[in-house]
């Protein structure tokens, strides 16, 4: 956090001074019932409307409802906002809002010395502190002397502010997160009108609750303005030069992905069908798409993962843009039907929002460990294209790209997002309609083959010579009846075949179709004389780019490239890898992409791995890249 200047105009008598900053990292933390995600989301929305660049990191408890006041029950929301282009939610918070002792204990180790800590003193009872292992109060024993601590009785102040409302004490206490939001909104000069409109809309059927929350929000703002404990407020100017011209909104990865799927269906002029089963962290896509029936979207919440993808594959056979959404455990259950989709050669999008594993694993934590499962997690030779977005906003474009490949090449396609992208958010420029790709496809209309006797027939596996895609025949079209099923097809006719030579031909043809998919060449951002290349994929883009910027700022020369297409790889990838003495691959797994690169290109890739359920920190990654580039 860099102090840029003080505004002399804010030193007028009776007015608190304003310190201008170029960036701030705030973390809201509390019990899972304290509304920290809502608080963070509202602060983020107002920050986006103000024009700052931003990046967020929501962090949820894995338990549906952990015991109140315990460490497993802590929920947090981190927001990094700035007056310039940023890429990550930040390594360490400048400000921590701790609603109880558990929130303080779970997060204090992440704070640098000198950070500001706002604590709700009402929750620091002996019992609450003992529950998380505090033998003495951290507010009194000197353990927080290295921080700027602001003790605020948030609960008491909220109840006092709402004393004229016809609410029980418990009902009034629920608004303490809005009091905290009001205080932080004053502290960082955030707009307030949007939050008040949001509360009026959210509680439209309960106007008393809406009014109480707005009153608590305003009371928090006024507390910041009048209390002696906050001597200054802070200002972070809009990021005027960070964005190309356009209309922007704040968007999460799952929301961007949902919008991308809708846009793809409209650009393809096909109905969108989602067959899904709820699973963290993919469920928000099902929730969002279910709201858009007006765009021809049909959603089916199945009884299990297998039924979900089975319905989606049936919709693909019927002529829809078909999607199934899940996470790693669900992919395992869907694997046989994905293999069937490979055999049937039908377009199907498999959206995997990766989380920690194996098995049920870490439902609310992020990971990149499903790459090999997406590549090889089926019986037999069953190649599937794999596409990975790199930022929350990029999920929109990645969905369009996955749909392009599925429709043009008649194949299932994996879209590998993860929990960090799904729940994180950033500004997104809303594209113009003319910027979207034309994804329209031509269904088979009649016979496409002539037999030796001159009879015109329909062959369902007669291929386009350029894409090797088979024709897509909608059921009910006269004369286009054909077989489907999991048994091997005869080339051309699609009849059941047990012929060894035919099986060899069909396996090689399906592989050649995937290998021949047209994907852009890999772009490399390379300063002159760089000898080390950092190659990433998926959500590591932000931390890698931030780390590379730090290294270059210190005079280091390092090249960077990022893969969107993981199967097939860009055609120039081998040539790119051969240019550099060292290739370093950071991944949130134990080296899955590195293993693929070593196997395919015989390059001695250096793995830089982390698998703790959290994204890389830029500073930590910068040091690791420097060591790897020196050959240590």
């Amino acid at each position: 956090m860099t102090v840029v200047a003080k505004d002399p105009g804010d030193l007028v008598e009776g007015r608190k001074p304003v310190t201008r900053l170029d960036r701030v990292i705030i973390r809201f933390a509390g019990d899972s019932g304290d509304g920290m995600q809502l608080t963070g989301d509202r602060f983020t929305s107002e920050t986006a409307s103000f024009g700052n660049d931003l990046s967020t990191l929501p962090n949820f408890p894995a338990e549906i409802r952990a015991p109140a006041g315990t460490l497993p029950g802590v929920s947090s929301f981190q927001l990094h906002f700035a007056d310039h282009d940023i890429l990550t939610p930040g390594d360490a918070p400048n400000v921590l809002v701790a609603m109880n002792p558990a929130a303080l204990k779970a997060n204090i180790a992440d704070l640098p010395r000198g950070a500001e800590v706002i604590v709700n003193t009402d929750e620091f009872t002996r019992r609450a502190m003992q529950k998380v292992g505090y033998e003495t109060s951290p507010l009194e024993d000197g353990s927080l002397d290295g921080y700027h601590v602001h003790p605020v009785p948030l609960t008491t102040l909220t109840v006092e502010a709402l004393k004229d409302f016809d609410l029980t004490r418990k009902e009034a206490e629920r608004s303490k997160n809005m009091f905290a939001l009001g205080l932080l909104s004053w502290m960082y000069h955030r707009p307030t009108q949007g939050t008040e409109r949001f509360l009026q809309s959210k509680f439209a059927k309960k106007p008393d609750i809406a009014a109480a929350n707005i009153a608590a929000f305003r009371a928090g703002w006024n507390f910041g303005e009048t209390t002696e404990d906050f001597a200054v407020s802070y200002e972070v100017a809009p990021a005027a030069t960070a964005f190309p011209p356009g209309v922007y909104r704040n968007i999460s990865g799952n929301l961007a992905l949902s919008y991308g799927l809708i846009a793809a269906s409209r650009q393809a002029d096909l109905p969108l069908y989602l067959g899904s089963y709820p699973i963290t962290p993919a469920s928000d896509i099902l929730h969002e798409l279910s709201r858009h029936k007006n765009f021809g979207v049909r959603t089916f919440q199945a009884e299990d993962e297998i039924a979900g993808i089975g319905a989606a594959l049936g919709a693909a056979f019927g002529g829809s843009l078909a999607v199934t959404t899940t996470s790693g455990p669900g992919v395992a259950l869907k694997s046989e039907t994905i293999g069937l989709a490979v055999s049937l050669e039908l377009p199907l999008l498999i959206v995997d929002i990766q989380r920690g594993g194996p098995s049920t694993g870490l439902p609310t934590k992020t990971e990149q460990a499903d790459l090999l499962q997406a590549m090889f997690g089926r019986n037999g030779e069953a190649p599937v294209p794999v596409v990975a977005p790199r930022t929350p906003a990029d999920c929109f474009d990645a969905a369009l790209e996955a749909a392009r490949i599925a429709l043009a090449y008649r194949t299932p396609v994996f879209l590998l997002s993860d929990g960090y992208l799904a729940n994180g958010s950033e500004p997104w420029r809303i594209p113009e309609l003319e910027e979207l790709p034309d994804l329209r496809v031509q269904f088979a209309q009649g016979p496409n083959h002539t037999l030796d006797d001159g009879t015109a027939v329909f062959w369902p596996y007669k291929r386009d010579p350029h894409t090797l895609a088979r024709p897509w025949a909608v059921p009910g079209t006269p004369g286009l009846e054909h077989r489907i099923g999991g048994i091997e097809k005869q080339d051309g006719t699609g009849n059941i075949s047990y012929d060894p030579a035919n099986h060899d031909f069909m396996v090689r043809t399906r592989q050649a179709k995937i290998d021949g998919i047209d994907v852009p060449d890999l772009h490399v951002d390379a300063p002159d004389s760089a000898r080390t290349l950092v190659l990433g994929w998926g959500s590591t883009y932000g931390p890698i780019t931030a780390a590379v910027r730090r290294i270059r700022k210190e005079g280091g020369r390092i090249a960077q490239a990022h893969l969107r297409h993981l199967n097939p790889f860009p055609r120039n990838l081998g040539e790119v890898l051969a240019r550099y003495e060292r290739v370093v691959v950071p991944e949130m797994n134990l080296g899955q992409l590195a293993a693929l690169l070593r196997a395919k290109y015989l390059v001695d890739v250096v793995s830089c791995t982390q698998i703790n359920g959290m994204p890389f920190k830029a500073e930590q990654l910068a040091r690791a890249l420097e060591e790897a580039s020196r050959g240590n």
Side-chain angles (χ1 to χ4, degrees):
M1 181 173 64
T2 305
V3 177
V4 178
K6 271 192 176 179
D7 186 349
D10 289 319
L11 300 178
V12 178
E13 183 177 356
R15 189 175 175 191
K16 291 183 178 181
V18 177
T19 298
R20 289 185 178 169
L21 309 173
D22 64 349
R23 66 185 184 94
V24 175
I25 303 169
I26 298 175
R27 184 181 297 176
F28 298 93
D31 193 71
S32 58
D34 284 338
M36 292 296 94
Q37 303 304 322
L38 175 62
T39 304
D41 183 67
R42 289 314 313 159
F43 195 94
T44 299
S45 295
E46 298 297 356
T47 296
S49 69
F50 188 71
N52 296 118
D53 195 10
L54 61 89
S55 180
T56 68
L57 178 62
N59 193 4
F60 307 93
E63 289 79 2
I64 293 175
R65 189 66 174 93
T70 62
L71 292 174
V74 173
S75 175
S76 68
F77 188 105
Q78 183 163 306
L79 165 68
H80 183 190
F81 61 102
D83 65 2
H84 58 278
D85 174 37
I86 58 172
L87 297 155
T88 74
D91 288 358
N94 309 119
V95 182
L96 172 66
V97 180
M99 302 297 283
N100 60 19
L104 178 66
K105 186 158 192 177
N107 292 280
I108 193 66
D110 292 339
L111 270 65
R113 291 292 174 175
E116 297 198 65
V117 182
I118 301 172
V119 293
N120 179 14
T121 56
D122 288 327
E123 295 297 321
F124 279 72
T125 63
R126 177 179 295 276
R127 181 181 178 186
M129 289 187 290
Q130 288 178 342
K131 190 180 291 187
V132 295
Y134 281 128
E135 296 182 2
T136 60
S137 173
L139 306 182
E140 300 171 355
D141 63 9
S143 60
L144 300 179
D145 287 350
Y147 308 96
H148 296 296
V149 179
H150 302 278
V152 181
L154 287 172
T155 307
T156 298
L157 291 171
T158 303
V159 172
E160 178 64 21
L162 303 183
K163 64 182 179 181
D164 294 332
F165 290 82
D166 186 21
L167 300 173
T168 66
R169 180 179 176 87
K170 187 174 182 179
E171 290 172 333
E173 287 179 358
R174 289 176 182 156
S175 297
K176 63 181 180 290
N177 64 324
M178 288 297 104
F179 188 101
L181 178 59
L183 172 57
L184 270 292
S185 297
W186 168 84
M187 194 171 175
Y188 290 98
H189 293 239
R190 298 297 90 185
T192 60
Q193 297 88 345
T195 293
E196 294 192 9
R197 287 195 299 268
F198 168 82
L199 292 170
Q200 289 169 346
S201 174
K202 181 177 177 63
F203 298 107
K205 295 182 180 179
K206 298 179 179 180
D208 291 345
I209 299 298
N213 276 282
I214 292 171
F217 176 69
R218 292 175 176 173
W221 197 96
N222 291 329
F223 177 77
E225 178 69 17
T226 57
T227 183
E228 296 293 329
D229 194 41
F230 293 89
V232 296
S233 61
Y234 303 94
E235 187 176 83
V236 180
T241 61
F243 308 116
V247 178
Y248 286 80
R249 58 156 294 168
N250 183 51
I251 200 163
S252 68
N254 272 352
L255 184 57
L257 203 156
S258 300
Y259 287 175
L261 293 173
I262 296 171
S265 76
R266 304 302 289 179
Q267 292 303 106
D269 196 22
L270 297 174
L272 178 65
Y273 184 93
L274 174 68
S276 184
Y277 180 75
I279 184 171
T280 303
S283 298
D284 286 342
I285 302 171
L286 170 61
H287 301 159
E288 182 60 34
L289 290 180
S290 68
R291 299 187 177 105
H292 296 287
K293 296 179 179 65
N294 56 314
F295 287 117
V297 179
R298 305 168 195 167
T299 54
F300 169 55
Q301 180 175 321
E303 65 268 28
D304 56 39
E305 296 280 7
I306 299 172
I309 190 172
L313 185 57
F317 179 64
S320 293
L321 176 59
V323 185
T324 190
T325 54
T326 189
S327 190
V331 173
L333 293 168
K334 296 177 188 290
S335 62
E336 183 179 11
T337 308
I338 298 171
L340 176 60
V342 172
S343 177
L344 298 181
E345 300 187 48
L346 287 171
L348 173 66
L349 302 186
I350 305 110
V351 178
D352 177 4
I353 312 297
Q354 300 166 95
R355 72 189 205 191
S359 185
T360 305
L362 304 171
T364 62
K365 308 303 178 185
T366 195
E367 203 163 280
Q368 286 184 300
D370 293 349
L371 176 56
L372 295 183
Q373 179 177 221
M375 289 286 291
F376 307 119
R378 294 163 295 283
N379 64 296
E381 297 287 345
V384 173
V386 181
V387 175
R390 63 185 189 177
T391 69
D394 188 49
C395 289
F396 178 87
D397 295 319
L400 285 166
E401 175 64 359
R404 176 190 74 85
I405 294 172
L407 294 171
Y409 294 90
R410 310 287 196 270
T411 177
V413 178
F414 261 102
L415 199 163
L416 290 183
S417 180
D418 61 44
Y420 171 37
L421 296 183
N423 297 316
S425 63
E426 65 176 354
W428 172 57
R429 187 181 71 84
I430 301 172
E432 301 295 334
L433 284 177
E434 57 269 20
E435 297 173 5
L436 300 179
D438 184 352
L439 301 178
R440 288 174 294 181
V441 297
Q442 183 65 50
F443 290 119
Q445 300 297 321
N448 61 359
H449 184 75
T450 303
L451 298 177
D452 292 341
D453 63 2
T455 305
V457 296
F458 174 67
W459 274 15
Y461 283 83
K462 186 168 185 175
R463 301 178 184 279
D464 181 288
H466 302 290
T467 65
L468 298 183
R470 78 174 185 87
W472 194 1
V474 176
T477 307
L480 303 190
E481 297 85 355
H482 59 283
R483 293 178 180 272
I484 63 169
I487 301 297
E488 181 64 282
K489 313 295 185 296
Q490 184 183 54
D491 178 43
T493 69
N495 294 330
I496 293 174
S497 173
Y498 297 101
D499 179 63
N502 177 79
H503 178 59
D504 182 273
F505 179 80
M506 292 296 285
V507 167
R508 294 181 186 278
T509 301
R510 287 189 290 259
Q511 182 65 58
K513 180 172 68 170
I514 304 307
D515 293 341
I517 291 173
D518 181 25
V519 303
D521 280 350
L522 181 65
H523 170 73
V524 182
D525 175 17
D528 293 338
S529 71
R531 297 186 300 175
T532 298
L533 171 69
V534 184
L535 181 65
W537 70 278
S539 67
T540 57
Y541 174 78
I544 289 174
T545 306
V548 167
R549 285 181 181 178
R550 295 188 186 202
I551 293 171
R552 291 178 180 175
K553 188 175 181 180
E554 296 171 359
R557 295 190 173 276
I558 192 167
Q560 178 189 357
H562 208 77
L563 288 168
R564 161 168 283 176
H565 298 91
L566 296 154
N567 192 32
F569 286 131
R571 286 173 175 77
N572 69 330
L573 179 55
E575 181 269 325
V576 168
L577 297 176
R579 290 185 214 160
Y580 298 93
E581 293 180 9
R582 293 185 184 86
V583 177
V584 185
V585 178
E587 299 181 78
M588 292 189 293
N589 56 49
L590 294 181
Q592 296 188 12
L593 175 60
L596 293 175
L597 296 175
R598 291 189 189 106
K600 186 173 180 65
Y601 300 104
L602 303 181
V603 174
D604 188 16
V605 174
V606 178
S607 276
C608 178
T609 63
Q610 172 179 295
I611 193 160
N612 60 7
M614 298 294 288
F616 282 102
K617 293 182 177 180
E619 181 63 28
Q620 162 204 358
L621 189 53
R623 301 289 78 81
L625 294 179
E626 286 179 333
E627 291 181 10
S629 65
R630 290 194 298 265
N632 295 340

